[in-house]
Protein backbone atom coordinates (compact mmCIF):
# COMPACT_ATOMS: atom_id res chain seq x y z
CA UNK A 1 0.00 0.00 0.00
CA UNK A 2 1.31 3.49 -0.76
CA UNK A 3 0.33 6.57 1.18
CA UNK A 4 -1.47 8.57 -1.53
CA UNK A 5 -4.96 8.48 -0.03
CA UNK A 6 -6.58 10.19 2.92
CA UNK A 7 -6.05 8.45 6.23
CA UNK A 8 -8.12 9.69 9.13
CA UNK A 9 -8.62 8.59 12.72
CA UNK A 10 -11.86 9.70 14.35
CA UNK A 11 -11.77 9.80 18.14
CA UNK A 12 -14.31 10.75 20.76
CA UNK A 13 -16.52 9.29 23.47
CA UNK A 14 -19.16 6.60 22.81
CA UNK A 15 -22.18 8.35 21.30
CA UNK A 16 -20.01 11.28 20.23
CA UNK A 17 -20.97 10.89 16.57
CA UNK A 18 -17.89 9.10 15.20
CA UNK A 19 -19.95 6.51 13.33
CA UNK A 20 -22.31 9.11 11.83
CA UNK A 21 -19.46 11.31 10.61
CA UNK A 22 -17.49 8.30 9.35
CA UNK A 23 -20.46 7.08 7.28
CA UNK A 24 -20.94 10.58 5.80
CA UNK A 25 -17.22 10.87 4.99
CA UNK A 26 -17.27 7.45 3.38
CA UNK A 27 -20.16 8.51 1.12
CA UNK A 28 -18.55 11.88 0.37
CA UNK A 29 -14.93 10.81 -0.22
CA UNK A 30 -15.17 7.10 -1.03
CA UNK A 31 -12.90 6.11 1.84
CA UNK A 32 -13.09 2.77 3.65
CA UNK A 33 -14.92 2.99 6.97
CA UNK A 34 -13.16 0.75 9.46
CA UNK A 35 -15.20 0.40 12.66
CA UNK A 36 -13.86 -2.14 15.14
CA UNK A 37 -17.19 -2.00 17.01
CA UNK A 38 -19.02 -3.00 13.82
CA UNK A 39 -16.46 -5.76 13.08
CA UNK A 40 -16.89 -7.14 16.60
CA UNK A 41 -20.71 -7.00 16.45
CA UNK A 42 -20.54 -8.84 13.12
CA UNK A 43 -18.30 -11.50 14.74
CA UNK A 44 -20.89 -11.79 17.54
CA UNK A 45 -23.73 -12.28 15.02
CA UNK A 46 -21.70 -14.96 13.21
CA UNK A 47 -21.66 -16.93 16.47
CA UNK A 48 -17.95 -17.89 16.45
CA UNK A 49 -16.29 -18.52 19.85
CA UNK A 50 -14.34 -15.27 19.54
CA UNK A 51 -17.46 -13.40 18.43
CA UNK A 52 -19.53 -14.64 21.36
CA UNK A 53 -16.78 -13.77 23.85
CA UNK A 54 -16.54 -10.29 22.33
CA UNK A 55 -20.33 -9.89 22.48
CA UNK A 56 -20.35 -10.56 26.22
CA UNK A 57 -17.69 -7.86 26.79
CA UNK A 58 -19.43 -5.36 24.51
CA UNK A 59 -22.82 -5.93 26.17
CA UNK A 60 -21.18 -5.26 29.56
CA UNK A 61 -19.61 -2.04 28.28
CA UNK A 62 -16.05 -3.41 28.57
CA UNK A 63 -13.24 -3.27 26.02
CA UNK A 64 -12.27 -6.30 23.97
CA UNK A 65 -8.57 -7.20 24.33
CA UNK A 66 -5.95 -5.20 22.45
CA UNK A 67 -4.80 -8.44 20.85
CA UNK A 68 -8.20 -9.09 19.24
CA UNK A 69 -8.92 -5.53 18.13
CA UNK A 70 -5.40 -5.12 16.68
CA UNK A 71 -5.75 -8.43 14.79
CA UNK A 72 -9.11 -7.30 13.33
CA UNK A 73 -7.72 -3.98 12.11
CA UNK A 74 -4.54 -5.57 10.80
CA UNK A 75 -6.59 -7.93 8.62
CA UNK A 76 -8.66 -5.06 7.19
CA UNK A 77 -5.61 -2.89 6.51
CA UNK A 78 -4.36 -5.64 4.19
CA UNK A 79 -7.42 -5.27 1.90
CA UNK A 80 -6.55 -3.53 -1.41
CA UNK A 81 -9.48 -1.04 -1.31
CA UNK A 82 -8.10 0.43 1.91
CA UNK A 83 -5.15 1.92 -0.03
CA UNK A 84 -7.47 4.72 -1.28
CA UNK A 85 -7.77 5.89 2.29
CA UNK A 86 -9.67 5.05 5.45
CA UNK A 87 -11.58 6.48 8.35
CA UNK A 88 -10.79 4.61 11.54
CA UNK A 89 -13.79 4.72 13.87
CA UNK A 90 -13.32 3.31 17.39
CA UNK A 91 -9.69 2.33 16.91
CA UNK A 92 -7.27 2.98 18.55
CA UNK A 93 -8.91 2.93 21.98
CA UNK A 94 -5.74 2.39 24.05
CA UNK A 95 -2.17 3.66 23.84
CA UNK A 96 -1.02 0.13 23.07
CA UNK A 97 -3.44 0.02 20.08
CA UNK A 98 -2.15 3.43 18.91
CA UNK A 99 1.44 2.16 19.04
CA UNK A 100 0.55 -1.00 17.12
CA UNK A 101 -1.31 1.06 14.53
CA UNK A 102 1.74 3.25 14.06
CA UNK A 103 3.89 0.17 13.39
CA UNK A 104 1.36 -1.43 11.06
CA UNK A 105 1.00 1.77 9.01
CA UNK A 106 4.77 2.33 8.90
CA UNK A 107 5.18 -1.19 7.46
CA UNK A 108 2.70 -0.28 4.72
CA UNK A 109 4.19 3.17 4.04
CA UNK A 110 1.00 4.88 5.16
CA UNK A 111 1.11 8.23 6.96
CA UNK A 112 -1.94 9.41 8.92
CA UNK A 113 -3.23 12.78 7.70
CA UNK A 114 -5.15 13.77 10.79
CA UNK A 115 -6.71 12.58 14.03
CA UNK A 116 -10.02 14.34 14.66
CA UNK A 117 -11.36 14.36 18.20
CA UNK A 118 -15.12 14.92 18.43
CA UNK A 119 -15.64 16.55 21.83
CA UNK A 120 -18.93 15.97 23.66
CA UNK A 121 -19.51 16.42 27.42
CA UNK A 122 -20.71 13.38 29.43
CA UNK A 123 -24.11 14.97 30.28
CA UNK A 124 -25.10 14.96 26.61
CA UNK A 125 -23.78 11.47 25.84
CA UNK A 126 -26.32 9.48 27.87
CA UNK A 127 -29.34 11.08 26.16
CA UNK A 128 -27.72 10.63 22.76
CA UNK A 129 -26.92 6.96 23.24
CA UNK A 130 -30.16 5.87 24.87
CA UNK A 131 -32.25 7.33 22.03
CA UNK A 132 -30.39 5.83 19.12
CA UNK A 133 -31.62 2.99 16.89
CA UNK A 134 -30.91 1.70 13.42
CA UNK A 135 -32.66 0.04 10.51
CA UNK A 136 -32.34 -3.74 10.85
CA UNK A 137 -32.13 -4.11 7.09
CA UNK A 138 -29.73 -1.40 5.80
CA UNK A 139 -28.16 -0.17 9.06
CA UNK A 140 -29.21 3.49 8.60
CA UNK A 141 -28.94 5.25 11.98
CA UNK A 142 -31.63 7.33 13.71
CA UNK A 143 -32.40 8.91 17.06
CA UNK A 144 -35.73 9.19 18.92
CA UNK A 145 -35.25 12.94 19.31
CA UNK A 146 -32.39 14.21 17.15
CA UNK A 147 -32.76 12.23 13.91
CA UNK A 148 -36.19 10.70 13.42
CA UNK A 149 -37.38 8.88 10.30
CA UNK A 150 -39.36 11.11 7.90
CA UNK A 151 -42.34 8.73 8.06
CA UNK A 152 -42.81 7.25 11.53
CA UNK A 153 -41.65 3.62 11.66
CA UNK A 154 -40.33 3.53 8.07
CA UNK A 155 -36.63 3.68 7.18
CA UNK A 156 -35.86 6.73 4.97
CA UNK A 157 -33.21 4.80 3.06
CA UNK A 158 -34.69 1.36 2.30
CA UNK A 159 -38.33 1.53 3.44
CA UNK A 160 -37.95 -1.28 5.97
CA UNK A 161 -40.17 -1.16 9.05
CA UNK A 162 -37.82 -3.14 11.27
CA UNK A 163 -35.45 -1.36 13.60
CA UNK A 164 -33.10 -2.43 16.38
CA UNK A 165 -31.20 -0.96 19.32
CA UNK A 166 -27.75 -1.97 20.50
CA UNK A 167 -27.78 -4.05 23.72
CA UNK A 168 -24.96 -1.87 25.10
CA UNK A 169 -26.95 1.35 24.57
CA UNK A 170 -28.46 1.49 28.08
CA UNK A 171 -27.78 3.91 30.93
CA UNK A 172 -25.62 1.62 33.12
CA UNK A 173 -23.46 0.38 30.27
CA UNK A 174 -23.02 3.91 28.94
CA UNK A 175 -21.59 5.01 32.30
CA UNK A 176 -19.12 2.09 32.25
CA UNK A 177 -18.15 2.95 28.66
CA UNK A 178 -17.60 6.61 29.55
CA UNK A 179 -15.34 5.64 32.45
CA UNK A 180 -13.30 3.36 30.18
CA UNK A 181 -13.10 6.17 27.62
CA UNK A 182 -11.70 8.51 30.29
CA UNK A 183 -9.27 5.95 31.75
CA UNK A 184 -8.06 4.07 28.68
CA UNK A 185 -8.79 6.14 25.58
CA UNK A 186 -8.14 9.78 26.53
CA UNK A 187 -4.40 8.96 27.07
CA UNK A 188 -4.28 8.31 23.31
CA UNK A 189 -5.04 12.01 22.64
CA UNK A 190 -1.64 13.35 23.86
CA UNK A 191 0.02 10.53 21.88
CA UNK A 192 -1.31 12.15 18.67
CA UNK A 193 -1.06 15.72 19.95
CA UNK A 194 2.70 15.30 20.35
CA UNK A 195 2.88 14.25 16.70
CA UNK A 196 0.97 17.39 15.66
CA UNK A 197 -1.88 15.29 14.25
CA UNK A 198 -4.71 16.08 16.67
CA UNK A 199 -7.51 18.51 15.80
CA UNK A 200 -10.75 18.96 17.75
CA UNK A 201 -14.32 19.64 16.70
CA UNK A 202 -17.27 20.61 18.86
CA UNK A 203 -19.48 17.51 18.83
CA UNK A 204 -22.44 19.30 20.44
CA UNK A 205 -23.18 21.01 17.08
CA UNK A 206 -25.64 19.58 14.54
CA UNK A 207 -24.54 16.64 12.38
CA UNK A 208 -24.23 18.91 9.30
CA UNK A 209 -22.26 21.59 11.15
CA UNK A 210 -19.79 18.97 12.41
CA UNK A 211 -19.47 17.59 8.89
CA UNK A 212 -18.71 21.06 7.51
CA UNK A 213 -16.04 21.55 10.18
CA UNK A 214 -14.51 18.14 9.38
CA UNK A 215 -14.55 18.95 5.65
CA UNK A 216 -12.79 22.24 6.39
CA UNK A 217 -10.10 20.39 8.36
CA UNK A 218 -9.65 17.96 5.45
CA UNK A 219 -9.71 20.74 2.86
CA UNK A 220 -12.48 19.10 0.80
P1 LIG B 1 -18.36 1.17 19.12
O1 LIG B 1 -19.24 0.61 18.05
O2 LIG B 1 -17.12 1.85 18.58
O3 LIG B 1 -19.12 2.02 20.11
O4 LIG B 1 -17.80 -0.08 19.94
C1 LIG B 1 -18.69 -0.94 20.65
C2 LIG B 1 -17.90 -1.79 21.60
O5 LIG B 1 -17.00 -2.64 20.87
C3 LIG B 1 -17.01 -1.07 22.60
O6 LIG B 1 -17.74 -0.61 23.73
C4 LIG B 1 -16.02 -2.17 22.96
O7 LIG B 1 -16.61 -3.14 23.81
C5 LIG B 1 -15.79 -2.84 21.62
N1 LIG B 1 -14.69 -2.21 20.87
C6 LIG B 1 -14.78 -1.49 19.72
N2 LIG B 1 -13.59 -1.08 19.31
C7 LIG B 1 -12.69 -1.53 20.23
C8 LIG B 1 -11.29 -1.40 20.37
N3 LIG B 1 -10.56 -0.69 19.49
N4 LIG B 1 -10.70 -1.99 21.44
C9 LIG B 1 -11.43 -2.68 22.34
N5 LIG B 1 -12.76 -2.84 22.28
C10 LIG B 1 -13.40 -2.27 21.23
Amino acid sequence: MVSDGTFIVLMGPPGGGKGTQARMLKARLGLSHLSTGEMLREAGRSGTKLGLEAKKLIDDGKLVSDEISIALISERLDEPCVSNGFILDGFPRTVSQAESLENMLADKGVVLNVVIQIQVPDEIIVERIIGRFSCSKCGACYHDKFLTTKVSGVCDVCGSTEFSRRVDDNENTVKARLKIYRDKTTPVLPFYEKKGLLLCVDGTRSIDEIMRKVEKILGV
Side-chain angles (χ1 to χ4, degrees):
M1 193 195 292
V2 284
S3 187
D4 56 357
T6 305
F7 300 92
I8 307 162
V9 173
L10 279 185
M11 294 197 58
K18 300 184 296 295
T20 303
Q21 294 299 326
R23 279 184 287 276
M24 289 168 81
L25 276 178
K26 176 184 173 175
R28 168 97 166 74
L29 303 175
L31 306 174
S32 297
H33 174 196
L34 305 182
S35 156
T36 38
E38 200 38 63
M39 292 172 206
L40 289 162
R41 281 187 288 279
E42 181 55 42
R45 285 190 289 270
S46 72
T48 58
K49 187 167 174 281
L50 183 150
L52 294 175
E53 279 167 16
K55 182 174 175 353
K56 172 98 187 60
L57 291 165
I58 293 172
D59 291 353
D60 288 345
K62 296 181 180 149
L63 287 188
V64 170
S65 73
D66 284 341
E67 198 189 346
I68 290 175
S69 43
I70 291 166
L72 281 175
I73 278 291
S74 168
E75 212 172 286
R76 292 297 303 275
L77 290 177
D78 284 338
E79 291 174 6
C81 60
V82 172
S83 62
N84 295 330
F86 60 59
I87 312 139
L88 282 182
D89 158 15
F91 187 96
R93 261 177 156 97
T94 64
V95 172
S96 162
Q97 292 180 15
E99 288 166 348
S100 294
L101 177 66
E102 192 170 41
N103 293 334
M104 287 187 276
L105 295 182
D107 285 348
K108 294 175 193 306
V110 168
V111 179
L112 283 180
N113 296 78
V114 69
V115 175
I116 300 176
Q117 180 198 5
I118 304 178
Q119 294 176 311
V120 185
D122 286 9
E123 313 81 79
I124 297 182
I125 293 292
V126 177
E127 187 186 22
R128 276 203 186 173
I129 287 194
I130 289 172
R132 68 185 184 181
F133 61 98
S134 60
C135 170
S136 305
K137 199 169 161 202
C138 74
C141 295
Y142 300 98
H143 191 281
D144 293 328
K145 195 164 157 189
F146 307 123
L147 188 62
T148 54
T149 53
K150 291 193 181 90
V151 176
S152 174
V154 181
C155 175
D156 296 353
V157 179
C158 73
S160 165
T161 52
E162 283 180 35
F163 296 89
S164 56
R165 290 177 193 260
R166 281 169 49 172
V167 180
D168 57 339
D169 281 353
N170 65 76
E171 196 161 351
N172 283 338
T173 310
V174 172
K175 287 186 178 149
R177 286 157 69 195
L178 281 172
K179 178 164 170 20
I180 289 176
Y181 178 72
R182 251 192 322 274
D183 295 347
K184 300 266 173 59
T185 308
T186 55
V188 179
L189 299 169
F191 175 91
Y192 286 125
E193 197 172 20
K194 279 185 213 137
K195 296 177 190 298
L197 285 173
L198 186 68
L199 290 172
C200 303
V201 298
D202 178 358
T204 63
R205 303 291 178 143
S206 73
I207 291 171
D208 287 337
E209 279 175 305
I210 299 170
M211 181 81 287
R212 279 198 292 277
K213 184 76 205 273
V214 169
E215 286 173 347
K216 203 170 163 199
I217 288 173
L218 298 174
V220 294

PDB file of all heavy atoms in Angstrom, residues 171-194:
ATOM      1  N   GLU A 171     -28.407   2.916  30.051  1.00  0.00           N
ATOM      2  CA  GLU A 171     -27.778   3.912  30.927  1.00  0.00           C
ATOM      3  C   GLU A 171     -26.582   3.369  31.718  1.00  0.00           C
ATOM      4  O   GLU A 171     -25.528   3.997  31.774  1.00  0.00           O
ATOM      5  CB  GLU A 171     -28.823   4.497  31.873  1.00  0.00           C
ATOM      6  CG  GLU A 171     -28.332   5.775  32.502  1.00  0.00           C
ATOM      7  CD  GLU A 171     -29.454   6.640  33.066  1.00  0.00           C
ATOM      8  OE1 GLU A 171     -30.649   6.340  32.816  1.00  0.00           O
ATOM      9  OE2 GLU A 171     -29.114   7.595  33.769  1.00  0.00           O
ATOM     10  N   ASN A 172     -26.722   2.155  32.297  1.00  0.00           N
ATOM     11  CA  ASN A 172     -25.621   1.616  33.118  1.00  0.00           C
ATOM     12  C   ASN A 172     -24.387   1.349  32.282  1.00  0.00           C
ATOM     13  O   ASN A 172     -23.266   1.687  32.666  1.00  0.00           O
ATOM     14  CB  ASN A 172     -26.044   0.302  33.784  1.00  0.00           C
ATOM     15  CG  ASN A 172     -26.939   0.597  34.965  1.00  0.00           C
ATOM     16  OD1 ASN A 172     -26.899   1.699  35.511  1.00  0.00           O
ATOM     17  ND2 ASN A 172     -27.768  -0.374  35.329  1.00  0.00           N
ATOM     18  N   THR A 173     -24.601   0.727  31.127  1.00  0.00           N
ATOM     19  CA  THR A 173     -23.464   0.384  30.272  1.00  0.00           C
ATOM     20  C   THR A 173     -22.792   1.651  29.742  1.00  0.00           C
ATOM     21  O   THR A 173     -21.566   1.712  29.635  1.00  0.00           O
ATOM     22  CB  THR A 173     -23.930  -0.521  29.121  1.00  0.00           C
ATOM     23  OG1 THR A 173     -24.685  -1.572  29.693  1.00  0.00           O
ATOM     24  CG2 THR A 173     -22.777  -1.105  28.362  1.00  0.00           C
ATOM     25  N   VAL A 174     -23.595   2.663  29.443  1.00  0.00           N
ATOM     26  CA  VAL A 174     -23.019   3.913  28.937  1.00  0.00           C
ATOM     27  C   VAL A 174     -22.071   4.503  29.973  1.00  0.00           C
ATOM     28  O   VAL A 174     -20.975   4.961  29.640  1.00  0.00           O
ATOM     29  CB  VAL A 174     -24.116   4.941  28.594  1.00  0.00           C
ATOM     30  CG1 VAL A 174     -23.501   6.288  28.265  1.00  0.00           C
ATOM     31  CG2 VAL A 174     -24.939   4.461  27.431  1.00  0.00           C
ATOM     32  N   LYS A 175     -22.465   4.443  31.249  1.00  0.00           N
ATOM     33  CA  LYS A 175     -21.593   5.009  32.299  1.00  0.00           C
ATOM     34  C   LYS A 175     -20.275   4.245  32.364  1.00  0.00           C
ATOM     35  O   LYS A 175     -19.205   4.830  32.489  1.00  0.00           O
ATOM     36  CB  LYS A 175     -22.312   5.018  33.643  1.00  0.00           C
ATOM     37  CG  LYS A 175     -23.380   6.107  33.627  1.00  0.00           C
ATOM     38  CD  LYS A 175     -24.065   6.304  34.943  1.00  0.00           C
ATOM     39  CE  LYS A 175     -25.075   7.452  34.769  1.00  0.00           C
ATOM     40  NZ  LYS A 175     -26.238   7.306  35.627  1.00  0.00           N
ATOM     41  N   ALA A 176     -20.348   2.909  32.239  1.00  0.00           N
ATOM     42  CA  ALA A 176     -19.119   2.094  32.251  1.00  0.00           C
ATOM     43  C   ALA A 176     -18.256   2.447  31.037  1.00  0.00           C
ATOM     44  O   ALA A 176     -17.029   2.579  31.140  1.00  0.00           O
ATOM     45  CB  ALA A 176     -19.486   0.610  32.228  1.00  0.00           C
ATOM     46  N   ARG A 177     -18.909   2.639  29.892  1.00  0.00           N
ATOM     47  CA  ARG A 177     -18.154   2.945  28.659  1.00  0.00           C
ATOM     48  C   ARG A 177     -17.498   4.324  28.754  1.00  0.00           C
ATOM     49  O   ARG A 177     -16.383   4.530  28.273  1.00  0.00           O
ATOM     50  CB  ARG A 177     -19.090   2.873  27.446  1.00  0.00           C
ATOM     51  CG  ARG A 177     -19.433   1.419  27.086  1.00  0.00           C
ATOM     52  CD  ARG A 177     -20.720   1.303  26.308  1.00  0.00           C
ATOM     53  NE  ARG A 177     -20.659   1.838  24.982  1.00  0.00           N
ATOM     54  CZ  ARG A 177     -21.734   2.094  24.233  1.00  0.00           C
ATOM     55  NH1 ARG A 177     -22.946   1.858  24.699  1.00  0.00           N
ATOM     56  NH2 ARG A 177     -21.600   2.576  23.036  1.00  0.00           N
ATOM     57  N   LEU A 178     -18.188   5.271  29.393  1.00  0.00           N
ATOM     58  CA  LEU A 178     -17.598   6.609  29.549  1.00  0.00           C
ATOM     59  C   LEU A 178     -16.383   6.566  30.478  1.00  0.00           C
ATOM     60  O   LEU A 178     -15.389   7.243  30.244  1.00  0.00           O
ATOM     61  CB  LEU A 178     -18.642   7.593  30.098  1.00  0.00           C
ATOM     62  CG  LEU A 178     -19.622   8.129  29.058  1.00  0.00           C
ATOM     63  CD1 LEU A 178     -20.732   8.924  29.739  1.00  0.00           C
ATOM     64  CD2 LEU A 178     -18.903   9.008  28.031  1.00  0.00           C
ATOM     65  N   LYS A 179     -16.479   5.744  31.513  1.00  0.00           N
ATOM     66  CA  LYS A 179     -15.344   5.638  32.450  1.00  0.00           C
ATOM     67  C   LYS A 179     -14.136   5.021  31.717  1.00  0.00           C
ATOM     68  O   LYS A 179     -13.012   5.493  31.849  1.00  0.00           O
ATOM     69  CB  LYS A 179     -15.742   4.800  33.672  1.00  0.00           C
ATOM     70  CG  LYS A 179     -14.587   4.640  34.635  1.00  0.00           C
ATOM     71  CD  LYS A 179     -15.020   4.162  36.006  1.00  0.00           C
ATOM     72  CE  LYS A 179     -13.866   3.768  36.918  1.00  0.00           C
ATOM     73  NZ  LYS A 179     -12.548   4.270  36.613  1.00  0.00           N
ATOM     74  N   ILE A 180     -14.402   3.991  30.928  1.00  0.00           N
ATOM     75  CA  ILE A 180     -13.303   3.364  30.178  1.00  0.00           C
ATOM     76  C   ILE A 180     -12.724   4.364  29.171  1.00  0.00           C
ATOM     77  O   ILE A 180     -11.507   4.438  28.976  1.00  0.00           O
ATOM     78  CB  ILE A 180     -13.796   2.077  29.460  1.00  0.00           C
ATOM     79  CG1 ILE A 180     -14.057   1.008  30.511  1.00  0.00           C
ATOM     80  CG2 ILE A 180     -12.794   1.593  28.418  1.00  0.00           C
ATOM     81  CD1 ILE A 180     -14.630  -0.270  29.976  1.00  0.00           C
ATOM     82  N   TYR A 181     -13.601   5.161  28.574  1.00  0.00           N
ATOM     83  CA  TYR A 181     -13.102   6.166  27.619  1.00  0.00           C
ATOM     84  C   TYR A 181     -12.139   7.120  28.335  1.00  0.00           C
ATOM     85  O   TYR A 181     -11.055   7.401  27.835  1.00  0.00           O
ATOM     86  CB  TYR A 181     -14.275   6.955  27.007  1.00  0.00           C
ATOM     87  CG  TYR A 181     -13.798   8.022  26.053  1.00  0.00           C
ATOM     88  CD1 TYR A 181     -13.278   7.687  24.809  1.00  0.00           C
ATOM     89  CD2 TYR A 181     -13.810   9.375  26.417  1.00  0.00           C
ATOM     90  CE1 TYR A 181     -12.788   8.655  23.948  1.00  0.00           C
ATOM     91  CE2 TYR A 181     -13.320  10.349  25.564  1.00  0.00           C
ATOM     92  CZ  TYR A 181     -12.813   9.981  24.329  1.00  0.00           C
ATOM     93  OH  TYR A 181     -12.315  10.940  23.472  1.00  0.00           O
ATOM     94  N   ARG A 182     -12.557   7.579  29.518  1.00  0.00           N
ATOM     95  CA  ARG A 182     -11.700   8.505  30.289  1.00  0.00           C
ATOM     96  C   ARG A 182     -10.376   7.843  30.672  1.00  0.00           C
ATOM     97  O   ARG A 182      -9.306   8.402  30.489  1.00  0.00           O
ATOM     98  CB  ARG A 182     -12.427   8.914  31.574  1.00  0.00           C
ATOM     99  CG  ARG A 182     -12.893  10.359  31.563  1.00  0.00           C
ATOM    100  CD  ARG A 182     -13.346  10.821  32.925  1.00  0.00           C
ATOM    101  NE  ARG A 182     -14.061   9.840  33.724  1.00  0.00           N
ATOM    102  CZ  ARG A 182     -15.368   9.618  33.665  1.00  0.00           C
ATOM    103  NH1 ARG A 182     -16.112  10.299  32.829  1.00  0.00           N
ATOM    104  NH2 ARG A 182     -15.935   8.712  34.435  1.00  0.00           N
ATOM    105  N   ASP A 183     -10.471   6.599  31.200  1.00  0.00           N
ATOM    106  CA  ASP A 183      -9.267   5.945  31.754  1.00  0.00           C
ATOM    107  C   ASP A 183      -8.324   5.409  30.675  1.00  0.00           C
ATOM    108  O   ASP A 183      -7.120   5.515  30.794  1.00  0.00           O
ATOM    109  CB  ASP A 183      -9.668   4.766  32.666  1.00  0.00           C
ATOM    110  CG  ASP A 183     -10.437   5.238  33.898  1.00  0.00           C
ATOM    111  OD1 ASP A 183     -10.434   6.464  34.151  1.00  0.00           O
ATOM    112  OD2 ASP A 183     -11.038   4.394  34.577  1.00  0.00           O
ATOM    113  N   LYS A 184      -8.904   4.801  29.647  1.00  0.00           N
ATOM    114  CA  LYS A 184      -8.058   4.075  28.681  1.00  0.00           C
ATOM    115  C   LYS A 184      -7.852   4.819  27.358  1.00  0.00           C
ATOM    116  O   LYS A 184      -6.796   4.697  26.736  1.00  0.00           O
ATOM    117  CB  LYS A 184      -8.703   2.711  28.342  1.00  0.00           C
ATOM    118  CG  LYS A 184      -8.891   1.788  29.530  1.00  0.00           C
ATOM    119  CD  LYS A 184      -7.703   0.867  29.635  1.00  0.00           C
ATOM    120  CE  LYS A 184      -7.664  -0.015  30.864  1.00  0.00           C
ATOM    121  NZ  LYS A 184      -8.794  -0.902  31.046  1.00  0.00           N
ATOM    122  N   THR A 185      -8.878   5.552  26.926  1.00  0.00           N
ATOM    123  CA  THR A 185      -8.791   6.138  25.576  1.00  0.00           C
ATOM    124  C   THR A 185      -8.272   7.577  25.574  1.00  0.00           C
ATOM    125  O   THR A 185      -7.510   7.946  24.677  1.00  0.00           O
ATOM    126  CB  THR A 185     -10.157   6.057  24.856  1.00  0.00           C
ATOM    127  OG1 THR A 185     -10.616   4.699  24.925  1.00  0.00           O
ATOM    128  CG2 THR A 185     -10.055   6.452  23.391  1.00  0.00           C
ATOM    129  N   THR A 186      -8.635   8.385  26.579  1.00  0.00           N
ATOM    130  CA  THR A 186      -8.138   9.777  26.529  1.00  0.00           C
ATOM    131  C   THR A 186      -6.601   9.855  26.562  1.00  0.00           C
ATOM    132  O   THR A 186      -6.055  10.783  25.969  1.00  0.00           O
ATOM    133  CB  THR A 186      -8.763  10.688  27.623  1.00  0.00           C
ATOM    134  OG1 THR A 186      -8.532  10.091  28.888  1.00  0.00           O
ATOM    135  CG2 THR A 186     -10.231  10.891  27.411  1.00  0.00           C
ATOM    136  N   PRO A 187      -5.865   8.881  27.169  1.00  0.00           N
ATOM    137  CA  PRO A 187      -4.401   8.962  27.067  1.00  0.00           C
ATOM    138  C   PRO A 187      -3.866   8.830  25.638  1.00  0.00           C
ATOM    139  O   PRO A 187      -2.700   9.128  25.380  1.00  0.00           O
ATOM    140  CB  PRO A 187      -3.922   7.784  27.938  1.00  0.00           C
ATOM    141  CG  PRO A 187      -5.033   7.541  28.900  1.00  0.00           C
ATOM    142  CD  PRO A 187      -6.291   7.851  28.137  1.00  0.00           C
ATOM    143  N   VAL A 188      -4.723   8.395  24.710  1.00  0.00           N
ATOM    144  CA  VAL A 188      -4.279   8.307  23.308  1.00  0.00           C
ATOM    145  C   VAL A 188      -4.193   9.719  22.692  1.00  0.00           C
ATOM    146  O   VAL A 188      -3.422   9.957  21.762  1.00  0.00           O
ATOM    147  CB  VAL A 188      -5.255   7.424  22.477  1.00  0.00           C
ATOM    148  CG1 VAL A 188      -4.826   7.343  21.023  1.00  0.00           C
ATOM    149  CG2 VAL A 188      -5.356   6.019  23.076  1.00  0.00           C
ATOM    150  N   LEU A 189      -4.993  10.660  23.246  1.00  0.00           N
ATOM    151  CA  LEU A 189      -5.038  12.005  22.644  1.00  0.00           C
ATOM    152  C   LEU A 189      -3.668  12.696  22.679  1.00  0.00           C
ATOM    153  O   LEU A 189      -3.198  13.170  21.640  1.00  0.00           O
ATOM    154  CB  LEU A 189      -6.135  12.859  23.306  1.00  0.00           C
ATOM    155  CG  LEU A 189      -7.553  12.267  23.154  1.00  0.00           C
ATOM    156  CD1 LEU A 189      -8.554  12.993  24.039  1.00  0.00           C
ATOM    157  CD2 LEU A 189      -7.989  12.339  21.682  1.00  0.00           C
ATOM    158  N   PRO A 190      -2.974  12.735  23.861  1.00  0.00           N
ATOM    159  CA  PRO A 190      -1.635  13.353  23.858  1.00  0.00           C
ATOM    160  C   PRO A 190      -0.637  12.627  22.960  1.00  0.00           C
ATOM    161  O   PRO A 190       0.291  13.251  22.432  1.00  0.00           O
ATOM    162  CB  PRO A 190      -1.195  13.294  25.329  1.00  0.00           C
ATOM    163  CG  PRO A 190      -2.230  12.559  26.064  1.00  0.00           C
ATOM    164  CD  PRO A 190      -3.439  12.409  25.208  1.00  0.00           C
ATOM    165  N   PHE A 191      -0.847  11.308  22.774  1.00  0.00           N
ATOM    166  CA  PHE A 191       0.023  10.530  21.875  1.00  0.00           C
ATOM    167  C   PHE A 191       0.007  11.170  20.480  1.00  0.00           C
ATOM    168  O   PHE A 191       1.052  11.346  19.851  1.00  0.00           O
ATOM    169  CB  PHE A 191      -0.493   9.076  21.834  1.00  0.00           C
ATOM    170  CG  PHE A 191       0.210   8.159  20.875  1.00  0.00           C
ATOM    171  CD1 PHE A 191       1.308   7.416  21.289  1.00  0.00           C
ATOM    172  CD2 PHE A 191      -0.225   8.016  19.562  1.00  0.00           C
ATOM    173  CE1 PHE A 191       1.962   6.547  20.405  1.00  0.00           C
ATOM    174  CE2 PHE A 191       0.420   7.157  18.676  1.00  0.00           C
ATOM    175  CZ  PHE A 191       1.513   6.419  19.109  1.00  0.00           C
ATOM    176  N   TYR A 192      -1.201  11.541  20.001  1.00  0.00           N
ATOM    177  CA  TYR A 192      -1.308  12.146  18.673  1.00  0.00           C
ATOM    178  C   TYR A 192      -1.020  13.649  18.696  1.00  0.00           C
ATOM    179  O   TYR A 192      -0.555  14.210  17.705  1.00  0.00           O
ATOM    180  CB  TYR A 192      -2.688  11.864  18.079  1.00  0.00           C
ATOM    181  CG  TYR A 192      -2.838  10.423  17.629  1.00  0.00           C
ATOM    182  CD1 TYR A 192      -3.873   9.626  18.095  1.00  0.00           C
ATOM    183  CD2 TYR A 192      -1.930   9.860  16.727  1.00  0.00           C
ATOM    184  CE1 TYR A 192      -3.991   8.307  17.687  1.00  0.00           C
ATOM    185  CE2 TYR A 192      -2.050   8.539  16.315  1.00  0.00           C
ATOM    186  CZ  TYR A 192      -3.081   7.769  16.795  1.00  0.00           C
ATOM    187  OH  TYR A 192      -3.196   6.462  16.386  1.00  0.00           O
ATOM    188  N   GLU A 193      -1.320  14.273  19.835  1.00  0.00           N
ATOM    189  CA  GLU A 193      -1.063  15.719  19.949  1.00  0.00           C
ATOM    190  C   GLU A 193       0.435  15.989  19.775  1.00  0.00           C
ATOM    191  O   GLU A 193       0.839  16.898  19.059  1.00  0.00           O
ATOM    192  CB  GLU A 193      -1.551  16.206  21.311  1.00  0.00           C
ATOM    193  CG  GLU A 193      -1.700  17.704  21.374  1.00  0.00           C
ATOM    194  CD  GLU A 193      -2.371  18.143  22.667  1.00  0.00           C
ATOM    195  OE1 GLU A 193      -2.385  17.372  23.646  1.00  0.00           O
ATOM    196  OE2 GLU A 193      -2.863  19.282  22.688  1.00  0.00           O
ATOM    197  N   LYS A 194       1.243  15.130  20.434  1.00  0.00           N
ATOM    198  CA  LYS A 194       2.704  15.301  20.345  1.00  0.00           C
ATOM    199  C   LYS A 194       3.203  15.172  18.915  1.00  0.00           C
ATOM    200  O   LYS A 194       4.221  15.723  18.548  1.00  0.00           O
ATOM    201  CB  LYS A 194       3.407  14.242  21.215  1.00  0.00           C
ATOM    202  CG  LYS A 194       3.450  14.615  22.685  1.00  0.00           C
ATOM    203  CD  LYS A 194       4.261  13.590  23.470  1.00  0.00           C
ATOM    204  CE  LYS A 194       3.679  13.462  24.873  1.00  0.00           C
ATOM    205  NZ  LYS A 194       3.566  12.095  25.347  1.00  0.00           N
TER     206      LYS A 194
END
